[in-house]
Amino acid sequence: MGKTFRKPEALADVPTHYCPGCTHGVIHRLVAEVIDELGIRGRTVGIAPVGCAVLCYNYFTFDFQESAHGRAPAMATGMKRVRPDLVVFTYQGDGDLASIGMAEIIHAANRGERFTTIFVNNAVYGMTGGQMAPTTMPDQRTTTSPFGRNVDEVGMPIKVAELLAALQTPAYITRQAAIKPKYIVKAKKAIKRAFTYQLERRCYSFVEVVSTCPTNWGLTPVEAVKWAEEQMLPYYQLGDLKTPE
Amino acid sequence: MEYVYRIDEDLCKGCGLCVSVCPKHVLEIADKVNTKGYFPAYQARPGDCVFCATCCRMCPDVAITISEAEEVSPPEKG
Amino acid sequence: MSKILMKGNEAIGEAAIRAGCLNYFAYPITPQSEVAEYLSRRMPEVGGVFLQGESEVAVSYMIFGAAACGERVFTTSSSPGISLMSEGISYIAGAQCPAVFVNIMRGGPGLGGILPSQADYLQATKGIGHGDFRMLVLAPASVQEAVEMVMMAFPLAEKYRNPVMILGDGLIGQMMEPVEFHDDLKVAPSNKDDWATNGMDTRGSDRRNLVKSLYLDPEELNAHNLHLKAKYEQMAREDVRYEAYNTDGDYEALIVSYGTMSRVCRTAIDMLKQEGVEVGMIRPQTVFPYPETAVREAAEKKSCKKVFAIEMNMGQMLEDVQRAVCGLRPVEWFGKCGGEVPTPEEVIDVVRPA
């Protein structure tokens, strides 16, 4: 455990635009480490969402496409169908995937498209300034739910992993977290497993990763980790919800 | 085996997550800002470091590296 | 090469395959669902990709994903479906990817009708999506021409790294006419290694490619738009196509009409000729870039008193004709919408000089 540690080759040697303590950076590193370890950088194409992570294309050192808001799973479908030899993954936030892109993710998963999705759930729209997302917690204040998410008015937060796990098409559906080292280690295993299923052309793979947004939650990075662990994890339970076995 | 622990001061955004997860409480936030205006983390008690890399795993900016002694490259590497 | 009697929609599907495009993503919509039905059988036969998407929105991004990784790809839809694809088309133009979109127009707006119309002219040529960009738009007047235009569309899309549209109407899709597939129209795909995300190993490079349309820096975005604009000006210089009919001699009136409507006008012109009344016609084959010089010069003929824009809509190409004629002659519109196709007799009543 531990000893040497360095930036993966698949991650660019540049500072990121993410806010201090935003765990997008951790998730980027896990994906890059997995790509290095599987030796697939030369044939991997990532698809960036619209959201804070749109600029992730600057942080990876392999081919990238930048999608429209919510449409990455459709782009991934198009690419994977015409070039099944390429390793394809979408990297999406909760506004991108669970709101405007809900139809695209459900149908891509249901078709069993052989790409991988990294779904970062931080309970708000980050880039546009902290608005309520489909995953915003009950009573959680955001810039468009200033009195707290009123579930009587806008319903309960969507559990995307469970939603996709209900589909009958075989898939690997898991929920992880990037908020503390013990979760991060497990998250990496899950991401590696997801990409491995893709390399084996086995099934669609989906990794939801609970993540923090200190700036829009109005918390320090350390408080944000605490809030995520105490408020989000009981609702967004971690673990594999579905495996192709 | 000798290890070299390094926090890239200008990549660090002073988020403090490494400080909060270090099992040996080696790290603290500096009191002078880096080029970006953040107060970076640093090893307050380097002797206590066991090179477990927990901080490295937690760092969102991959600012912390641990390398083997002879593998370390010249400090001026940007 | 023998002629085959084929339904327009199926001929369009076959033409894409003959052009070397083996990737098709689509969503059913009358009056062009037969393209998907045909290709769902045909693409597997030729080792191609057929996929029915969950919506035209998704389909437009399947097209974008496939095009961005360097593969030839196309889709077909009809008016409401094309509206749903407009965001994707804008992204494809902004990211400079070649792709072909076929619009078999139906009556609008809204759900409109399922019968033929030309009511998406302005959408196709002026405002297909947000931002400063254009599509090269080809307008076939027969199933044979539709086949040829589909085959030409792929090299044109690659020449300009821009989406190209085939603007037909329900008749073009639903008619059966004898067609020939000219293999010489097939052009091998261009090399896309310098921009496509086809995988670094594929092109033996460790320089990665990035396909995107985001430019947060205003100067960069302005420069990008100027680069796109130069492409559209190049289209106007190099790829305007039109056909002139009965314009050698003198004529009292000039018709400007395209697609199915121009065939009705051709019959009207022939019938008037038997009455000793000469009427000329300019038929745009590209409606972007528009053949304004041709229209202008045809209107300048001394004998010509009046210009008519005749189209199956409420007067859309009319605006381009007015722009081309620029007040030199009076310009009038005539047309019907909702699926009714004006008859030669109706055209004659409008065009015959008083």
Side-chain angles (χ1 to χ4, degrees), chain A residues 53-97:
Chain A
V54 59
L55 293 178
C56 76
Y57 60 65
N58 287 330
Y59 308 138
F60 290 107
T61 58
F62 46 84
D63 283 1
F64 238 88
Q65 297 175 357
E66 174 247 302
S67 173
H69 197 34
R71 314 304 177 198
M75 283 188 78
T77 298
M79 181 166 26
K80 193 71 183 182
R81 291 266 170 162
V82 304
R83 285 289 307 275
D85 57 308
L86 290 176
V87 178
V88 177
F89 72 96
T90 70
Y91 187 103
Q92 299 175 256
D94 36 25
D96 187 276
L97 180 138

Side-chain angles (χ1 to χ4, degrees), chain A:
Chain A
M1 192 24 202
K3 300 306 177 208
T4 61
F5 193 93
R6 43 202 283 281
K7 179 170 275 200
E9 215 183 286
L11 210 55
D13 207 358
V14 293
T16 71
H17 72 293
Y18 298 118
C19 305
C22 165
T23 45
H24 261 308
V26 176
I27 301 164
H28 284 23
R29 196 196 71 240
L30 296 183
V31 171
E33 283 173 354
V34 164
I35 286 171
D36 276 12
E37 286 160 24
L38 294 173
I40 52 176
R41 191 165 71 91
R43 60 193 180 97
T44 297
V45 183
I47 302 179
V50 169
C52 287
V54 59
L55 293 178
C56 76
Y57 60 65
N58 287 330
Y59 308 138
F60 290 107
T61 58
F62 46 84
D63 283 1
F64 238 88
Q65 297 175 357
E66 174 247 302
S67 173
H69 197 34
R71 314 304 177 198
M75 283 188 78
T77 298
M79 181 166 26
K80 193 71 183 182
R81 291 266 170 162
V82 304
R83 285 289 307 275
D85 57 308
L86 290 176
V87 178
V88 177
F89 72 96
T90 70
Y91 187 103
Q92 299 175 256
D94 36 25
D96 187 276
L97 180 138
S99 196
I100 190 170
M102 183 62 94
E104 279 78 6
I105 192 69
I106 286 180
H107 283 282
N110 194 60
R111 286 190 299 264
E113 299 292 345
R114 296 310 195 261
F115 63 83
T116 301
T117 292
I118 307 296
F119 167 48
V120 178
N121 173 3
N122 61 6
V124 284
Y125 281 79
M127 175 205 247
T128 42
Q131 293 79 17
M132 183 176 73
T135 48
T136 294
M137 296 303 289
D139 307 322
Q140 180 183 350
R141 290 177 193 276
T142 72
T143 51
T144 50
S145 62
F147 315 115
R149 177 185 187 133
N150 178 345
V151 295
D152 298 334
E153 267 177 33
V154 294
M156 291 293 283
I158 297 175
K159 297 184 176 183
V160 177
E162 284 79 354
L163 193 69
L164 296 179
L167 298 170
Q168 299 306 297
T169 309
Y172 175 54
I173 310 284
T174 181
R175 179 180 294 113
Q176 303 293 325
I179 55 176
K180 276 189 173 171
K182 61 180 180 182
Y183 303 118
I184 290 169
V185 170
K186 287 207 193 88
K188 177 173 176 180
K189 286 198 182 75
I191 291 171
K192 189 161 192 176
R193 189 172 172 187
F195 274 90
T196 304
Y197 280 131
Q198 176 172 174
L199 293 176
E200 293 166 356
R201 297 184 197 279
R202 186 76 177 282
C203 63
Y204 171 67
S205 45
F206 175 88
V207 183
E208 175 174 345
V209 186
V210 174
S211 188
T212 63
C213 182
T215 298
N216 287 309
W217 292 356
L219 298 171
T220 69
V222 174
E223 289 164 351
V225 162
K226 189 165 178 294
W227 188 83
E229 190 168 39
E230 288 167 3
Q231 300 300 321
M232 291 180 75
L233 293 196
Y235 189 80
Y236 297 114
Q237 308 216 322
L238 303 184
D240 292 353
L241 287 94
K242 185 176 186 174
T243 63
E245 283 78 22

Side-chain angles (χ1 to χ4, degrees), chain C residues 122-275:
Chain C
L122 288 176
Q123 176 193 47
T125 59
K126 308 285 188 242
I128 184 68
H130 62 283
D132 278 302
F133 78 96
R134 297 301 182 97
M135 282 179 103
L136 196 150
V137 185
L138 298 156
S142 66
V143 174
Q144 179 62 38
E145 193 171 40
V147 160
E148 288 164 13
M149 286 181 169
V150 164
M151 293 187 79
M152 283 191 289
F154 294 97
L156 279 170
E158 281 163 10
K159 171 181 177 183
Y160 291 107
R161 277 183 61 188
N162 199 74
V164 170
M165 176 174 277
I166 309 292
L167 193 64
D169 61 67
L171 280 158
I172 301 286
Q174 292 294 332
M175 268 189 302
M176 287 189 82
E177 287 189 311
V179 288
E180 240 177 331
F181 295 97
H182 303 299
D183 291 337
D184 53 20
L185 282 177
K186 177 174 181 177
V187 176
S190 60
N191 183 298
K192 305 181 175 73
D193 283 356
D194 57 353
W195 61 267
T197 58
N198 51 11
M200 298 192 303
D201 289 352
T202 305
R203 50 181 190 275
S205 155
D206 57 12
R207 185 184 58 77
R208 70 89 181 250
N209 281 343
L210 170 60
V211 171
K212 68 164 177 102
S213 55
L214 178 66
Y215 295 85
L216 289 174
D217 174 270
E219 277 158 22
E220 260 182 54
L221 186 52
N222 188 56
H224 179 60
N225 271 282
L226 287 172
H227 169 69
L228 298 180
K229 185 169 186 294
K231 293 198 292 187
Y232 309 134
E233 287 160 354
Q234 182 187 355
M235 286 178 192
R237 285 195 308 276
E238 296 176 10
D239 284 298
V240 170
R241 282 180 176 75
Y242 69 92
E243 198 182 52
Y245 186 68
N246 196 39
T247 56
D248 297 340
D250 285 347
Y251 40 84
E252 303 174 40
L254 175 71
I255 291 175
V256 185
S257 185
Y258 70 95
T260 303
M261 191 64 238
S262 65
R263 291 175 69 165
V264 175
C265 295
R266 185 188 282 256
T267 307
I269 290 169
D270 295 346
M271 290 163 67
L272 281 167
K273 191 184 265 294
Q274 276 148 26
E275 296 175 20

Side-chain angles (χ1 to χ4, degrees), chain B residues 4-17:
Chain B
V4 177
Y5 180 97
R6 180 170 177 273
I7 295 179
D8 183 330
E9 197 184 68
D10 293 321
L11 270 183
C12 173
K13 293 172 184 165
C15 73
L17 288 178

